[in-house]
Amino acid sequence: MSDVLPIPQESYLELSARQRIARICDKGTFTEICGPEARRKSPHLATFGMPSAFDDGLIVGEARLDGRNIMVAAQEGAFMGGAVGEVHGAKLTGLLLRAADRAPDAVVILADSGGVRLHEANAGLVAVGEIQRAIFTARDAGVPVIAVIGSANGCYGGMSIAARSCDWVVMSGEGRLSVSGPEVIESAQGAGEFDARDRALVWRTMGGRHRYLMGDADRLVADDPGAFRSEIVSLLGQSRAITLETLRARNTELKQRIDTFGAARDGTEIWQAMGHSDPWRLPELEPDPFQAAVDGKRRKRA
Amino acid sequence: MNDMSWGTLADDKAARLDEAARNGLGKIVAADQAETLLVSVLRPNDRICIEGNNQKHADFISEVLSDVDPEVIHDLHVVQSNLALPQHLDLFEHGVAKRLDFCYAGPQGIRMAQLIEDGVIEIGAIHTYLELYARYFVDLTPRVSVVAVEAADREGNLYTGPNTEDTPPIVEATAFKSGIVIAQANRIVDRVPRVDVPADWTDFVVEAPRPHYIEPIFTRDPAAITEIQILMAMMVIRGIYEPYGIQRLNHGIGFGTAAIELILPTYARDLGLLGKICNYMSVNPCPTLIPALESGFITSIHSAGSELGMEDYVAARSDVFFCGPDGSLRSNRAFCQLAGHFSDLFIGSTLQIDTAGNSSTATSDRITGFGGAPNFGCDSRARRHASDPFLQAAREETGQESPQRGRKLVVQLVETFREGGQPVFTERLDAWDIQKRFGMDLPPIMIHGDDVTHIVTEEGIANLLLCRGPDEREQAIRAVAGYTEVGRRRDPKRVADLRRRGAVRYPSDIGIDTRLASRSLLAARSVRDLVRWSGGLYDPPARFRNW
């Protein structure tokens, strides 16, 4: 028994969207755009007799981070699992287009979403397309867009596509990033293909550590708002080129990935093939020793 | 009397063993010979126990038995504590077994109710654990028992592994009344790590084709604990553990008690209660106990069974847990139930409470049974030793400074509404309808109202010890029943009077600021935090990992 008890520090995963904004941005600098007082609710949910939210589950606005101007969006996972509806999507698209116009040092998207809000059907799908286009518009204007993933709902479906269209992806080990969710894969392909109840398997194939090893996430941080904040600060003002050449390089890299790992049944098989001799140990490591263990043995984005 | 034989049971056993020998069976039986073994040693109408516990189950033998020809083996009388697996009920559906005495059927509750209603199963009684073990030694002694063990040697010495659970009373009753003891073993080894059952009590060992089924049913993910549960945990510590000085107690296994365990290192420690409360517990090694144990709260824990993933942690804390010479946990449900029965406080949850304080987990379409709550959750009229909480409770109840007998504290910890918006508080328990529907002699009440001393909800604490007469008890219960129909029928004037006397206490009455009830009080907010507290010794099952 030691004198210092391992009482956990504040968890990014457990925070609400508004708390996340408050922890990430400089104190008192956040100005919300189109906030709850505007009552821009979903025009669709009432049809199904479902409750709506005055902010439609997305908070957007401008703030300072480390003294620099940023724009920030945060999805509220407690409202419909952070799913993207028409208004929700329009707010994010609007923020990105505003960024292309005003050129802040970054747009930071605090993702917490299961994907498109199925109740809003085509309106939600269109919204995701618009978000992706707006991300490219902002990037083309030289504004770095940073996706931040470390929430309970993870980043799935259309939002995963949006996240991977950003310049940077910052994740915690607790975060998840994938197009199809575990339950979706299991119901489409059967539990023999993917057992959604095996949560360790879910994290070995979609979790932050795996995404970091594969180069899908650029930074891996502890589940701590302060750690997220410092990594985001380190990426401010840093754009990545988005050209035909970079896209071709990405496609080549993805094809290579399928060729090399396409037959793997589990994250551990991929990690072993990448040269990690004891892959089962990797998920157990805390962020720092994990970084040390995988340094030089991870893929990077082309 | 001289011409009367007094060894018919032994003679009968010898005949059955002979038959097994004639069928070519030795002490170690291969899995594909299991059916031959059962047909050799079983007779119609036998009483049989096929070990079923909270955690481990003799599932392989249960499966084999349900496939034997019901023309040959039929009308078995099953006497076992737990029927949690579908195979256990298949026996009845296939006509092999008829009568049943049991304690708990959790996940099979709905099918159980159906089979009883269809006359497929005849119920002897639904017992508490201690009752059923006791009756093994009275009139429900098994003729044949099948126990589930981790390993056996070639002589038949058995090692149960950390989940000893029900094995000792089953084997003791069977082996010493000329019954036949069969072990389903995960593996046959040259030497068992420790001898839990000696070879000469064992008649056969079947090497199972796969390890016995085992379920991590006591793992509660801290991530799922709500702020309401944390508020209630604060009330329990501040309003009961602290003022009564509860050192010897028994925790249920729900999220409510997990919340209490997880705020001991934070909230209770800040109140200066380290070393003053929660010193000795009768409870399974629930992972949510790790932070409290590591921060010095818990001196000793005796367990009814183990919990998957806790093996290494428990073995490394043998000062606290009961471990064998091999280092691994030795659990024992019978002794744990006994220990909890004589402790100073039981706290657990339930699905329904009526205005007299009776509680039940039986709802109209399922029969789940009781498990251990009735033994833990009753005031033993046999207790003779005193303790501060035992005396204080009696003083409150009798109003006398030197009461003739003490009183155990029995606390029900419930939110006013449970999942699906169902009120927990009700004017009438479903148990009465179930009694009628199934023709039971008694309604399936889990804890009787006169055994309950406190009811804690998110609204407050009803201290039934301070209530004088059934009317006051009813008002105190209504006072903490919130917005349920039962709660809305309270008499505000009488409740105000009860509150003045401390029979009803709301959070502000015991210095609790409800705004402080947040998840930041939890010493662990995730399973990963529990692993950290354990120094990496706790190895949670895959379904609880989010990394």
Side-chain angles (χ1 to χ4, degrees):
Chain A
M1 192 174 89
S2 75
D3 288 341
V4 184
L5 301 176
I7 307 269
Q9 298 303 301
E10 190 170 61
S11 154
Y12 177 88
L13 182 124
E14 296 223 341
L15 298 177
S16 69
R18 289 181 187 279
Q19 287 172 326
R20 282 180 190 143
I21 289 177
R23 301 297 189 283
I24 298 292
C25 302
D26 293 350
K27 201 174 155 71
T29 62
F30 178 68
T31 308
E32 188 165 358
I33 301 169
C34 198
E37 73 284 357
R39 301 203 176 189
R40 301 228 183 247
K41 299 186 290 181
S42 161
H44 307 284
L45 293 177
T47 319
F48 303 98
M50 301 189 70
S52 53
F54 292 157
D55 57 15
D56 204 34
L58 187 79
I59 298 136
V60 295
E62 296 176 322
R64 287 178 159 275
L65 175 54
D66 201 30
R68 301 169 72 175
N69 291 324
I70 63 160
M71 295 193 185
V72 59
Q75 293 178 306
E76 177 48 66
F79 178 65
M80 305 201 74
V84 180
E86 186 173 0
V87 172
H88 183 116
K91 284 170 76 173
L92 183 50
T93 299
L95 186 79
L96 287 156
L97 295 179
R98 182 181 173 94
D101 196 35
R102 308 258 171 122
D105 287 318
V107 180
V108 178
I109 302 172
L110 309 178
D112 189 358
S113 179
V116 165
R117 197 180 294 167
L118 294 176
H119 317 74
E120 306 204 6
N122 293 355
L125 291 166
V126 169
V128 167
E130 288 173 346
I131 291 168
Q132 195 182 14
R133 177 171 288 271
I135 289 172
F136 291 136
T137 305
R139 289 184 60 184
D140 192 45
V143 179
V145 186
I146 304 167
V148 179
I149 303 168
S151 55
N153 292 292
C155 182
Y156 282 103
M159 271 314 288
S160 73
I161 298 170
R164 293 292 279 116
S165 302
C166 297
D167 292 84
W168 306 100
V169 174
V170 178
M171 279 186 91
S172 65
E174 286 78 359
R176 284 171 298 163
L177 171 64
S178 180
V179 177
S180 297
E183 287 81 10
V184 175
I185 302 176
E186 183 184 287
S187 53
Q189 305 290 329
E193 175 72 17
F194 197 90
D195 180 1
R197 284 184 65 221
D198 184 346
R199 303 214 311 157
L201 170 69
V202 170
W203 262 265
R204 288 197 302 272
T205 50
M206 304 173 177
R209 284 180 177 76
H210 177 63
R211 289 304 177 203
Y212 182 67
L213 283 163
M214 298 302 285
D216 300 324
D218 305 288
R219 300 280 191 276
L220 187 73
V221 301
D223 175 33
D224 161 22
F228 273 103
R229 182 187 147 98
S230 356
E231 285 302 336
I232 297 167
V233 166
S234 77
L235 295 169
L236 293 180
Q238 295 193 50
S239 278
R240 288 178 135 169
I242 176 166
T243 63
L244 195 56
E245 289 72 49
T246 58
L247 276 179
R248 284 204 171 116
R250 284 285 284 282
N251 279 341
T252 311
E253 194 270 331
L254 287 172
K255 183 169 183 313
Q256 262 178 11
R257 196 192 283 197
I258 288 281
D259 293 344
T260 320
F261 305 122
R265 305 278 309 161
D266 197 314
T268 49
E269 291 178 26
I270 295 179
W271 309 337
Q272 189 138 37
M274 291 168 79
H276 297 283
S277 53
D278 188 3
W280 290 97
R281 195 176 62 101
L282 290 181
E284 305 304 324
L285 295 176
E286 298 289 344
D288 285 344
F290 178 82
Q291 299 267 9
V294 305
D295 195 28
K297 279 193 224 165
R298 61 178 282 261
R299 296 169 78 87
K300 285 190 180 145
R301 190 202 284 204
Chain B
M1 297 297 277
N2 290 342
D3 55 350
M4 191 158 166
S5 165
W6 291 95
T8 56
L9 287 174
D11 294 346
D12 173 63
K13 174 175 178 173
R16 297 186 189 202
L17 295 182
D18 280 350
E19 185 174 336
R22 277 198 307 279
N23 288 328
L25 301 176
K27 195 151 193 175
I28 307 295
V29 178
D32 60 5
Q33 292 289 300
E35 188 173 344
T36 309
L37 171 64
L38 294 176
V39 175
S40 304
V41 302
L42 274 170
R43 301 288 178 265
N45 299 301
D46 271 352
R47 255 193 311 271
I48 183 170
C49 168
I50 310 159
E51 187 171 17
N53 293 286
N54 273 326
Q55 275 100 348
K56 70 171 179 181
H57 300 268
D59 55 341
F60 171 65
I61 297 293
S62 196
E63 236 170 73
V64 173
L65 184 57
S66 69
D67 284 339
V68 303
D69 183 355
E71 295 285 312
V72 181
I73 307 293
H74 51 83
D75 292 301
L76 296 180
H77 178 184
V78 175
V79 289
Q80 71 191 50
S81 71
N82 205 306
L83 286 90
L85 302 180
Q87 296 92 297
H88 291 141
L89 294 182
D90 291 347
L91 282 185
F92 294 89
E93 238 172 27
H94 296 177
V96 176
K98 184 72 187 173
R99 199 170 165 79
L100 174 65
D101 280 82
F102 77 112
C103 305
Y104 186 69
Q108 299 300 321
I110 291 178
R111 187 168 164 219
M112 173 77 82
Q114 198 57 53
L115 291 173
I116 294 170
E117 196 153 57
D118 296 346
V120 175
I121 298 181
E122 277 173 21
I123 293 290
I126 306 175
H127 302 75
T128 73
Y129 289 132
L130 280 180
E131 265 183 296
L132 184 65
Y133 305 146
R135 288 192 63 189
Y136 283 167
F137 298 93
V138 184
D139 56 343
L140 291 181
T141 311
R143 195 74 198 107
V144 176
S145 284
V146 183
V147 294
V149 301
E150 173 62 33
D153 68 16
R154 280 165 229 290
E155 305 294 310
N157 290 301
L158 308 180
Y159 168 59
T160 59
N163 287 292
T164 305
E165 300 191 86
D166 287 6
T167 306
I170 296 170
V171 170
E172 175 108 8
T174 311
F176 291 92
K177 203 68 187 295
S178 304
I180 293 171
V181 174
I182 301 170
Q184 165 185 335
N186 289 354
R187 54 202 169 92
I188 310 282
V189 296
D190 290 334
R191 198 182 156 82
V192 289
R194 72 169 187 239
V195 178
D196 287 304
V197 177
D200 62 351
W201 303 8
T202 314
D203 298 296
F204 299 98
V205 176
V206 179
E207 186 170 16
R210 54 168 197 274
H212 54 249
Y213 181 81
I214 195 152
E215 179 73 19
I217 65 169
F218 297 137
T219 300
R220 300 286 169 260
D221 187 342
I225 291 175
T226 65
E227 297 191 334
I228 294 280
Q229 287 158 347
I230 293 166
L231 171 64
M232 288 161 59
M234 292 163 76
M235 284 196 262
V236 169
I237 289 172
R238 198 76 227 249
I240 298 175
Y241 289 4
E242 180 180 7
Y244 290 97
I246 301 297
Q247 300 205 348
R248 296 180 289 183
L249 74 164
N250 166 237
H251 267 194
I253 43 83
F255 281 101
T257 40
I260 297 172
E261 291 153 15
L262 288 173
I263 67 170
L264 287 173
T266 52
Y267 183 70
R269 196 168 190 262
D270 289 347
L271 289 171
L273 297 176
L274 179 63
K276 295 181 179 156
I277 61 169
C278 298
N279 308 55
Y280 308 96
M281 299 182 76
S282 313
V283 66
N284 276 29
C286 303
T288 43
L289 289 163
I290 295 172
L293 197 153
E294 292 300 305
S295 42
F297 267 90
I298 305 171
T299 310
S300 183
I301 296 176
H302 184 263
S303 300
S306 185
E307 183 65 358
L308 270 181
M310 287 289 280
E311 298 80 3
D312 292 349
Y313 178 75
V314 166
R317 298 288 180 274
S318 60
D319 276 356
V320 175
F321 294 96
F322 288 75
C323 294
D326 62 314
S328 71
L329 178 74
R330 161 78 180 202
S331 59
N332 186 317
R333 181 158 293 105
F335 287 146
C336 186
Q337 286 283 320
L338 201 56
H341 183 64
F342 285 106
S343 72
D344 288 335
L345 174 142
F346 165 74
I347 181 163
S349 193
T350 187
L351 295 182
Q352 282 189 337
I353 298 180
D354 69 14
T355 52
N358 296 306
S359 71
S360 170
T361 55
T363 52
S364 54
D365 59 342
R366 68 179 66 215
I367 293 187
T368 55
F370 307 112
N375 288 123
F376 287 147
C378 74
D379 183 34
S380 171
R381 298 180 64 83
R383 179 164 164 179
R384 293 295 180 272
H385 74 277
S387 66
D388 288 344
F390 191 63
L391 292 173
Q392 188 182 332
R395 279 187 213 111
E396 288 182 1
E397 186 171 39
T398 61
Q400 297 166 5
E401 202 40 48
S402 306
Q404 179 181 323
R405 60 162 76 224
R407 184 70 152 87
K408 180 177 184 174
L409 293 157
V410 175
V411 183
Q412 292 281 10
L413 181 66
V414 291
E415 291 179 48
T416 52
F417 289 89
R418 58 188 159 92
E419 277 171 21
Q422 288 291 310
V424 165
F425 292 91
T426 173
E427 303 285 342
R428 187 173 186 276
L429 297 177
D430 284 358
W432 294 100
D433 301 328
I434 292 172
Q435 179 192 14
K436 211 168 145 192
R437 182 172 156 200
F438 295 101
M440 295 169 157
D441 295 325
L442 296 167
I445 288 171
M446 188 168 73
I447 296 180
H448 290 280
D450 56 2
D451 277 321
V452 177
T453 61
H454 296 75
I455 297 175
V456 181
T457 71
E458 73 275 20
E459 298 287 329
I461 303 175
N463 180 347
L464 305 181
L465 294 168
L466 293 174
C467 296
R468 301 289 171 253
D471 284 359
E472 283 197 4
R473 287 171 68 88
E474 181 179 326
Q475 283 303 322
I477 291 169
R478 291 188 191 277
V480 296
Y483 291 92
T484 60
E485 285 297 321
V486 168
R488 290 161 63 188
R489 286 197 202 113
R490 62 178 166 260
D491 177 343
K493 270 178 68 182
R494 300 194 60 194
V495 168
D497 177 52
L498 289 168
R499 198 173 161 196
R500 251 191 314 279
R501 286 165 36 201
V504 171
R505 300 171 95 189
Y506 293 139
S508 57
D509 301 336
I510 47 176
I512 290 176
D513 182 346
T514 54
R515 291 171 305 178
L516 299 183
S518 88
R519 283 183 47 83
S520 63
L521 275 185
L522 296 176
R525 291 193 290 260
S526 65
V527 171
R528 181 104 189 187
D529 285 345
L530 295 173
V531 175
R532 287 191 188 108
W533 272 96
S534 76
L537 290 167
Y538 171 45
D539 179 24
R543 79 175 78 160
F544 294 106
R545 290 168 182 256
N546 67 338
W547 64 89

